[in-house]
Amino acid sequence: KSLVLELIGRACNIILVGTDGRIIDCLRHVDAERNERRQLLPGLVYHLPPKQEKPCFFSLSSDERCKMWEKAPPDSAADRWLLDTFSGLSPLVCRELAYRAYNDENPRKIRIYSELTHSLCREMDALFKLVEKGNFTPCMLLEKGQPRDFCFMPVMQYGERLTSEIYPEFSSLLDAFYT
C-alpha cells in the first residue's frame, strides 16, 4: 500500500492506494461534480495530478522571465501575472515581488511608467539569486500577536499592519506557527 500526500493549494488530500493502484480511501472524496477530469474515490485507479502547463520560475533565465513580462497584457496586475505565468511561486511571494518592484501591493502594468518596466525583472532576479544561494530567512507574519502566515524571506508588503518575527531555522518557525 502507498500513502499519497498531495499538497496542492486548496486541493490538499491524503490518499491510501492499494498494491493494484486503486484508491482504498482518501481524506477528501472528489467526484465528477467537483472535478470532471480527476475523481478521487474509493475503487478508482489513482492517477498523479496533472502537470501544470506553466514553466517553473527557477528553470528560466533572467532574459526569458523579463521578455515574458514585457509581452504581458498592458492591464496585467504584476502579482497576478507572476502567479498565472510561473509554477513555483506562492501568492504571498508574487505579491511581495510586485510590492518591492513598484511599492504597491497590486500594481497594474498599464499604470507603470516605462522607466519602471524593469523593476519587476530586477526583483525576479533578486529572488532567483536568493533561492539559488539558499540564503533564506525563516519569517513568521503576525497580526495582533497571532500567526497569520510564514515565508522563507522577509515580507514588507503589509507595512505596519503585520509584524514579522525571524526564526533561526524553519523547524522552530513551523513548530511555533502550527502550535
Side-chain angles (χ1 to χ4, degrees):
K1 294 181 176 123
S2 299
L3 188 63
V4 179
L5 179 62
E6 294 183 352
L7 301 173
I8 311 169
R10 291 185 206 134
C12 293
N13 210 341
I14 300 174
I15 305 147
L16 183 61
V17 180
T19 54
D20 61 353
R22 294 196 175 276
I23 298 171
I24 297 171
D25 207 354
C26 48
L27 188 61
R28 300 172 91 187
H29 290 191
V30 180
D31 58 17
E33 196 172 296
R34 284 177 139 186
N35 188 334
E36 288 182 20
R37 290 178 278 165
R38 184 168 184 256
Q39 287 83 52
L40 297 172
L41 296 168
L44 296 179
V45 174
Y46 174 76
H47 297 283
L48 290 172
K51 187 175 179 180
Q52 287 188 340
E53 298 302 321
K54 302 186 283 187
C56 177
F57 178 87
F58 300 100
S59 67
L60 298 173
S61 71
S62 174
D63 286 342
E64 289 170 319
R65 288 189 302 267
C66 197
K67 284 177 185 170
M68 291 171 78
W69 173 234
E70 289 169 357
K71 292 177 184 175
D75 63 341
S76 297
D79 63 329
R80 188 81 233 169
W81 176 82
L82 286 163
L83 192 61
D84 291 345
T85 303
F86 302 109
S87 66
L89 298 178
S90 71
L92 175 65
V93 170
C94 292
R95 287 191 311 271
E96 185 65 18
L97 289 177
Y99 175 81
R100 289 179 183 196
Y102 304 113
N103 200 24
D104 185 356
E105 290 175 41
N106 192 20
R108 296 265 170 214
K109 189 176 179 191
I110 200 166
R111 290 191 344 226
I112 299 166
Y113 300 105
S114 60
E115 65 266 12
L116 296 177
T117 300
H118 292 285
S119 295
L120 186 63
C121 295
R122 282 192 297 277
E123 291 303 326
M124 288 191 286
D125 289 346
L127 175 65
F128 182 87
K129 289 174 187 167
L130 179 129
V131 171
E132 183 179 52
K133 291 179 181 178
N135 193 12
F136 304 122
T137 305
C139 176
M140 185 183 322
L141 299 170
L142 303 161
E143 184 173 32
K144 297 178 184 175
Q146 296 299 310
R148 176 155 174 213
D149 211 341
F150 56 86
C151 195
F152 62 91
M153 64 183 195
V155 176
M156 301 178 288
Q157 65 186 279
Y158 297 108
E160 295 179 13
R161 291 178 287 168
L162 298 180
T163 57
S164 293
E165 193 172 315
I166 306 299
Y167 283 77
E169 72 278 325
F170 286 104
S171 293
S172 60
L173 164 69
L174 295 174
D175 282 346
F177 183 84
Y178 287 107
T179 299

